[in-house]
């Protein structure tokens, strides 16, 4: 489990933490756990999420187990610089949906003495590194990768398999559209999808 390092109270130092993983890996729950601990320590806490994530009520970070903390939807990572300047701990949820400026914005906040905790999907449904996450992970002091359980074999899962045919990168995560899979089940699934696509094509020709 991640434990906060305890810095000097007089000289405030900032840093970046990243919590990443697949769908159903508990990223948001871990973000909320860290933020609640900071709240108990009477620190100024604020959460932001990209305004593209409108799955649930506006102005709320909601995790799948319904323990939620209020948050502010923002359209662009540069908005964080204005909104977060007086805050000690900045939480960012669904970080993968932010623009490419997010890692530099997080670095600027950390340089101002702010603790930044960003949670997001590290890979998209095709297993490709997702949006600003790779740079953010490279620039962070602490990276925590959390895992789901593979729905086919029960191993640890780090891929988010999409069960619908949509090619849209921003398809928001309802439980019925994604399955967490381990590498070998993800590969097996992709190979069988490619095989059946080839059969369909052969039938059409
Ligand atoms: Zn598996």
């Amino acid at each position: 489990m991640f434990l906060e390092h305890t810095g000097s109270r007089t000289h405030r130092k900032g840093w970046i933490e990243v919590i990443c993983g697949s769908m159903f890996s508990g990223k948001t729950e871990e973000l909320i756990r860290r933020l609640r601990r900071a709240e108990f320590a009477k620190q100024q806490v604020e959460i932001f999420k990209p305004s593209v994530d409108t799955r649930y009520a506006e102005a709320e970070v909601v995790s799948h187990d319904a323990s939620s903390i209020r948050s502010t939807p923002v359209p662009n990572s540069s908005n964080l610089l204005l909104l977060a300047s007086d805050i000690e701990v900045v939480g960012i949820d669904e970080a993968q949906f932010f623009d490419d400026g997010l890692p530099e914005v997080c670095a600027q906040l950390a340089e101002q003495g702010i603790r930044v905790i960003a949670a997001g999907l590290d890979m998209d449904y095709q297993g490709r590194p997702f949006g600003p996450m790779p740079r953010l992970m490279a620039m962070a002091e602490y990276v925590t990768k959390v895992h789901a359980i593979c729905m086919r074999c029960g191993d640890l899962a780090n891929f988010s398999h999409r069960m619908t045919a949509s090619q849209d990168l921003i398809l928001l995560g309802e439980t019925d559209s994604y399955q967490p899979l381990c590498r070998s089940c993800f590969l097996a699934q992709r190979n069988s999808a490619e095989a059946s696509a080839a059969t369909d094509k052969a039938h059409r020709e």
Side-chain angles (χ1 to χ4, degrees):
M1 183 168 36
F2 181 88
L3 287 177
E4 298 81 357
H5 82 203
T6 45
S8 138
R9 290 226 160 211
T10 46
H11 178 63
R12 236 178 85 197
K13 281 207 257 180
W15 67 85
I16 303 172
E17 297 163 32
V18 171
I19 304 161
C20 65
S22 67
M23 303 284 302
F24 312 111
S25 60
K27 300 179 297 297
T28 302
E29 289 82 352
E30 175 61 13
L31 174 67
I32 289 171
R33 186 187 72 84
R34 294 185 194 182
L35 292 167
R36 286 221 191 283
R37 285 166 62 84
E39 275 183 336
F40 289 138
K42 304 264 180 273
Q43 292 171 340
Q44 279 292 331
V45 171
E46 192 81 46
I47 307 169
F48 301 96
K49 63 176 181 181
S51 42
V52 65
D53 183 9
T54 52
R55 250 184 298 180
Y56 303 99
E58 289 281 311
E60 229 176 323
V61 159
V62 183
S63 73
H64 301 289
D65 72 355
S67 69
S68 64
I69 294 188
R70 284 187 59 78
S71 85
T72 311
V74 292
N76 197 285
S77 65
S78 58
N79 299 108
L80 296 176
L81 291 171
L82 292 171
L83 294 167
S85 53
D86 293 331
I87 298 157
E88 294 168 270
V89 185
V90 168
I92 299 169
D93 198 25
E94 302 287 358
Q96 77 278 357
F97 289 139
F98 270 104
D99 51 277
D100 290 340
L102 183 68
E104 276 69 27
V105 166
C106 291
Q108 279 189 56
L109 294 173
E111 282 159 24
Q112 291 167 25
I114 295 170
R115 175 185 175 196
V116 181
I117 315 172
L121 287 166
D122 45 10
M123 290 188 285
D124 66 17
Y125 71 102
Q126 293 187 307
R128 297 172 303 198
F130 207 145
M133 292 299 286
R135 278 179 63 78
L136 191 57
M137 288 161 74
M139 290 163 68
E141 274 87 346
Y142 307 99
V143 176
T144 305
K145 189 147 176 162
V146 287
H147 295 88
I149 303 294
C150 177
M151 281 184 69
R152 306 219 173 151
C153 76
D155 267 350
L156 287 183
N158 59 328
F159 290 90
S160 307
H161 166 53
R162 180 183 289 174
M163 286 140 64
T164 60
S166 166
Q167 301 289 305
D168 190 356
L169 201 57
I170 301 181
L171 178 69
L172 293 164
E174 277 74 20
T175 16
D176 52 357
S177 351
Y178 292 93
Q179 270 186 343
L181 295 180
C182 71
R183 183 181 298 276
S184 65
C185 293
F186 184 74
L187 276 176
Q189 175 316 116
R190 191 164 67 184
N191 291 342
S192 77
E194 278 168 11
S196 75
T199 318
D200 286 353
K201 188 160 176 275
H203 278 297
R204 281 198 305 272
E205 283 168 3

